[in-house]
Amino acid sequence: MDWTQTIFEVIDMRSFSNLWFWIALAVVWSSASHWVLGVPFDMITRARRHGGQAQEDLETLVSINVRRLLFIGRVSGLVLIGFLCFLLTALAILGFVYDVEFAQALFLIGLPLSGVLALSLATARRLERDEPQGEELYRRLLRHRQIVQVIGMVSIFVTAFWGMAQNLSHNWINGF
C-alpha cells in the first residue's frame, strides 16, 4: 500500500468535512477582526481608556498603517486587483464549474476577504483625508471593525451552509 493512499484514507482531505479547515476559517476571521487597519484591537481599547501616551501611540500607528496601505494601493493597486480578480475567478471556476471542493473553500474565504481589503482601503482614504483624532478616530476604527465582523459572520454562515450542503450531498451519493 502506498503511503499517500494511507494518508488520504486516514485523513479526510475534503475541505468542508475537515476540522482543520474550520479552525483555519475561525482563525482567519478572528485575525481579520482583531487587526483593524493593522492596529491590534487591544491597543484601541487601551488608548480609549487611558489616553495620553497610549493615544499618541495609536494615532502614530494608525497614521503609519494608513500611509502604508494607501502607498501599496496607489503604486501597485491595479496589478494587485487584476491578480486578485484572476485568482478569485480561477477558484470560482475550479470550485463551482469543475466541482473542486478545495477551490470552493478557498473562494469562500477569499471573496469576503477581498471585500474587507476594499473596506480597509476606503477607510484608510477617509482617515487620510479627515485626519481624525481622539474619540472620532476610535469611533471610525470601531465602526470599521464592526463592519468586518458582520462580513465575517455572513461569510462563516454562508460557508457553513455550503459546507453542510456539500457534506450531505457527498454522503447521499456515497451512502451513509
Side-chain angles (χ1 to χ4, degrees):
M1 182 177 262
D2 188 15
W3 67 273
T4 55
Q5 184 180 0
T6 304
I7 290 174
F8 283 104
E9 284 179 7
V10 172
I11 301 172
D12 186 8
M13 297 305 281
R14 295 180 328 110
S15 298
F16 297 115
S17 62
N18 193 326
L19 177 63
W20 292 108
F21 169 74
W22 297 105
I23 291 171
L25 182 69
V27 167
V28 162
W29 286 109
S30 175
S31 297
S33 68
H34 177 71
W35 294 92
V36 182
L37 295 178
V39 178
F41 178 66
D42 62 292
M43 188 174 190
I44 298 168
T45 56
R46 190 177 328 115
R48 192 174 197 181
R49 284 188 194 138
H50 303 294
Q53 185 61 47
Q55 180 175 338
E56 290 177 29
D57 291 347
L58 175 71
E59 290 172 357
T60 302
L61 189 55
V62 167
S63 175
I64 290 168
N65 285 337
V66 162
R67 286 193 309 269
R68 181 182 60 87
L69 279 172
L70 292 177
F71 175 77
I72 292 169
R74 290 174 182 142
V75 170
S76 56
L78 287 176
V79 173
L80 291 175
I81 287 175
F83 180 72
L84 182 64
C85 289
F86 167 77
L87 184 65
L88 288 174
T89 303
L91 287 173
I93 290 170
L94 283 171
F96 300 105
V97 174
Y98 292 105
D99 203 32
V100 177
E101 191 172 307
F102 185 68
Q104 291 173 2
L106 290 178
F107 179 80
L108 290 172
I109 292 173
L111 183 66
L113 281 178
S114 64
V116 170
L117 175 63
L119 176 67
S120 296
L121 286 170
T123 303
R125 258 187 249 112
R126 279 189 231 107
L127 290 176
E128 182 188 50
R129 182 190 64 215
D130 300 340
E131 296 180 4
Q133 294 180 341
E135 198 60 39
E136 178 66 17
L137 179 62
Y138 305 143
R139 189 183 64 74
R140 289 186 186 201
L141 292 175
L142 293 176
R143 181 73 176 148
H144 175 82
R145 182 174 190 253
Q146 288 172 340
I147 294 170
V148 169
Q149 287 176 327
V150 168
I151 292 170
M153 287 188 298
V154 170
S155 172
I156 290 171
F157 176 77
V158 169
T159 302
F161 185 79
W162 182 259
M164 180 180 61
Q166 289 295 103
N167 287 336
L168 288 174
S169 70
H170 181 74
N171 287 336
W172 185 265
I173 291 169
N174 295 329
F176 290 94

